[in-house]
Amino acid sequence: MPGDIAWCPGCGNYSILKAVKKALFELELDPVNVLFVSGIGQAGKFPQYIKCNMLNELHGRALPAAVAAKIVNPDLTVFAEGGDGDGYGEGGNHFMAAMQHNADITYLVHDNKVYGLTKGQASPTSVQGFVTKTTPAGTGEPLNPVALAVAADCSFVARGYAADIEHLSGLIKMAVKHRGFSYIDILQPCVTFNRVNTYQFYQKRVYKLDEDKNYDPYDRAAAFTKSLEWGDRIPIGLIYKVERPLIEAMIPGVNAVPLVDHELDPMKYEELLNEFI
Amino acid sequence: MFINGSHSVALGALSGGCKFLAAYPMTPITPILEFMASKGKEYNVAVFQPEDEIAAINMVIGASYAGVRAMTVTSGSGYALMVEGIGLSGIAEIPAVIVLGERPGPAVGLPTRTEQGELLFPVFSGTGEFPRVVFAPSDAEDAFYLTAKAFNLAEKYQVPVIIITDTYLGNSYFTVEKYDLSRIKIERGEIVAEGTASADYTRYAVTESGVSPRAFPGKSGVLVYSDSDEHDETGHITEGAEVRTRQVAKRLKKYESIKKEISAPEFVKAEGAEYTLISWGSTRAAVKEAAAVLSAGKIPVNILHLTEIWPFPAQAVAEALSGGTVNIAVENNASGQMAYLIMAETGIEIMHRINKWDGRPISVQFIVKEFKKLAGQVKKK
């Protein structure tokens, strides 16, 4: 069991951990039925510090494993978790595919806009002009993952902020309850390696979308416009939501009985052999 | 039955308890994927085509971790993309079955042709050191039974099992005795049933055999921690020197038990034989027929044919090749990979080779012709 938590004092991950624990507690989930599949990075360490099932996957590869686990045992509440490098760089293809396929899992991305574990390289979401040892001339335009998600018709798209634990916890509960692929990009300060997107930076800029009674998260065009909003004002909250068929619609082999509960009986393939006679 | 190699692999997987197949289309294994997809609904097997091969192997890991028998099928370049994932199967001790349908490489190579160019690849690939099993079935019947066996070994020993086939085997049709389903036993190894785990259960407990009882999330009444990082007995990340030493040793120890499950290679002795033809995988029928032709021509030859390749049956191979014969490795590749493996594992150098790497299968005539050339040269010495 881990003794010390291997995050810097002041790391946004501690708040995210609190928010997740709060959400799990309020959802009254039994830890035995909760699975965290994580990638590699500071965020990837997350499930080491929580008492649930854990599959710490390869860098960028949490999503396929999480989706498969959910397919074979839909009674599990499944989370995929990782950072912005893990999710939008190494794992970018799986992010796109997961949104397309729509498995009923929750994907939390700890977006601190830098590579923390490997000590300070740029990430796909680093702000433009971010100077690091691998980008001494500064980065180019960052990827906008929330806009990407809306474009992919992702079933549930939200942005959270690590320091607002209450709000983030609420988003996580909504995400878990939502039937479909639920994605939350969590703005997270990295006190050691990102001197741009600090607590002060976000405190001045974030505002809660839920406080705008006119905002309709089912309106995809409005969501896309909202997803492009960044600068003096950064919206957090539920940005887009749509009901869509789940991945199981593509997999006729799945029925009401979870695959993990099926009996394995070679003899039932006798008829299939006869097809070759 | 009249059946091809691809469908035999599929039937072996199904009757062997496969409940989850994630595979990306790639010549020559697409027929396996398509056949299983067509049977998925009827037999309640989840068949899914993911975005790429990396997703495929990681889906196999996720499904297997969650408690079902899972498989992927691919060709050489797809396998190359899966190598990290196979290492994950190794370190996290999560069972996985991977069918590698060979075609001529490297890279894109000759997509629709055949070769035996990837023997050493599955035997040695992967970061770090971990146990794995490698099979290379010789015909349709072999493909059926070995694929089913692969799932048992994968789960009993919690290792990746790679089944090497090729375009030739996959596409060839065979007339066979109806496959005997009563021969297929499902052996899942030690799994923690709900309510039976002790309070101090740990997923990676160090045991005599190196195999730790396995638990499934939500099914065993305990929390299951699995990690791609090095981990302690509980499954949590560690960098400790002693723990690392213990866990690596524990995993490698599994080879001792796995070796007992590997069948000896086929060794057919001919009276008075001065030569032994060595072969593996799909070339068996051609080699056997070539031996018969040579025998009819008063040149008896022994045959040593391998289908269960790794852990390598070194003792049996060494014995077969130490009878004073001239040993000739017959391979559908350029560099003689089986010859290399025999040298590495037994110290016996296979000086003589019959190789073909034009993307076409090895024919009986080719073996006989090349043998006679070789035999002539050998005699001159």
Side-chain angles (χ1 to χ4, degrees), chain B residues 65-331:
Chain B
Y65 164 82
V68 306
R69 294 192 154 190
M71 170 171 99
T72 186
V73 300
T74 189
S75 189
S77 283
Y79 182 91
L81 296 174
M82 296 181 181
V83 169
E84 194 193 13
I86 290 164
L88 175 57
S89 164
I91 195 173
E93 306 192 62
I94 295 173
V97 174
I98 304 106
V99 175
L100 197 183
E102 296 167 298
R103 73 195 211 186
V108 183
L110 297 172
T112 59
R113 299 292 178 179
T114 197
E115 191 166 272
Q116 291 187 309
E118 280 114 39
L119 170 66
L120 299 178
F121 191 24
V123 168
F124 292 123
S125 57
T127 49
E129 302 163 307
F130 57 92
R132 86 282 304 274
V133 176
V134 180
F135 289 156
S138 51
D139 53 30
E141 204 177 313
D142 237 12
F144 175 77
Y145 291 106
L146 280 183
T147 301
K149 180 171 175 176
F151 283 94
N152 282 346
L153 295 193
E155 285 212 302
K156 277 166 73 175
Y157 303 104
Q158 302 168 24
V159 292
V161 179
I162 300 113
I163 304 165
I164 306 174
T165 65
D166 55 35
T167 308
Y168 175 54
L169 171 59
N171 293 351
S172 293
Y173 278 83
F174 300 79
T175 303
V176 295
E177 292 273 318
K178 187 177 179 188
Y179 296 149
D180 183 2
L181 291 170
S182 69
R183 273 175 61 181
I184 308 297
K185 306 290 171 213
I186 306 286
E187 295 163 18
R188 302 203 71 185
E190 235 191 297
I191 292 170
V192 176
E194 179 100 44
T196 66
S198 61
D200 56 359
Y201 168 80
T202 52
R203 171 65 184 92
Y204 299 101
V206 177
T207 62
E208 178 62 39
S209 65
V211 180
S212 319
R214 202 156 58 109
F216 301 141
K219 291 284 148 195
S220 301
V222 289
L223 295 178
V224 187
Y225 304 106
S226 285
D227 207 328
S228 55
D229 285 283
E230 188 56 270
H231 41 267
D232 58 23
E233 292 193 14
T234 72
H236 287 90
I237 188 173
T238 184
E239 282 197 307
E242 275 179 41
V243 179
R244 163 68 173 177
T245 303
R246 259 200 315 271
Q247 285 290 318
V248 172
K250 164 203 181 306
R251 295 190 288 260
L252 291 175
K253 188 118 197 280
K254 295 194 283 187
Y255 265 136
E256 274 173 36
S257 314
I258 297 172
K259 279 181 171 131
K260 297 179 190 160
E261 304 255 18
I262 301 298
S263 309
E266 192 181 353
F267 183 47
V268 182
K269 285 185 81 161
E271 191 164 332
E274 293 179 339
Y275 301 89
T276 298
L277 297 179
I278 305 160
S279 55
W280 63 277
S282 67
T283 54
R284 182 173 174 268
V287 171
K288 282 206 152 171
E289 196 176 321
V293 168
L294 291 169
S295 182
K298 305 281 188 269
I299 312 172
V301 300
N302 298 335
I303 297 168
L304 176 66
H305 187 80
L306 289 93
T307 56
E308 297 187 30
I309 312 245
W310 192 267
F312 194 76
Q315 196 177 348
V317 170
E319 271 168 29
L321 299 180
S322 304
T325 56
V326 172
N327 303 320
I328 304 171
V330 180
E331 299 191 65

Side-chain angles (χ1 to χ4, degrees), chain A residues 53 56-57 93-94 270 274, chain B residues 51-52 58 178 224 227-228:
Chain A
N53 295 292
N56 180 218
E57 252 276 359
N93 199 24
H94 307 311
E270 194 70 47
N274 291 337
Chain B
E51 59 275 24
D52 58 34
N58 284 288
K178 187 177 179 188
V224 187
D227 207 328
S228 55

Side-chain angles (χ1 to χ4, degrees), chain A residues 117-189:
Chain A
L117 184 67
T118 48
K119 299 192 282 194
Q121 299 79 32
S123 94
T125 51
S126 294
V127 292
Q128 187 147 5
F130 196 59
V131 175
T132 71
K133 287 182 186 164
T134 58
T135 58
T139 52
E141 191 175 317
L143 186 75
N144 183 335
V146 172
L148 195 68
V150 177
D153 205 26
C154 180
S155 188
F156 178 108
V157 182
R159 187 189 279 130
Y161 173 45
D164 193 338
I165 295 171
E166 186 78 42
H167 182 258
L168 177 58
S169 189
L171 281 180
I172 293 168
K173 283 196 304 189
M174 275 170 63
V176 171
K177 286 193 195 151
H178 174 76
R179 191 172 172 275
F181 185 75
S182 309
Y183 155 64
I184 308 178
D185 183 72
I186 306 171
L187 302 173
Q188 178 203 341

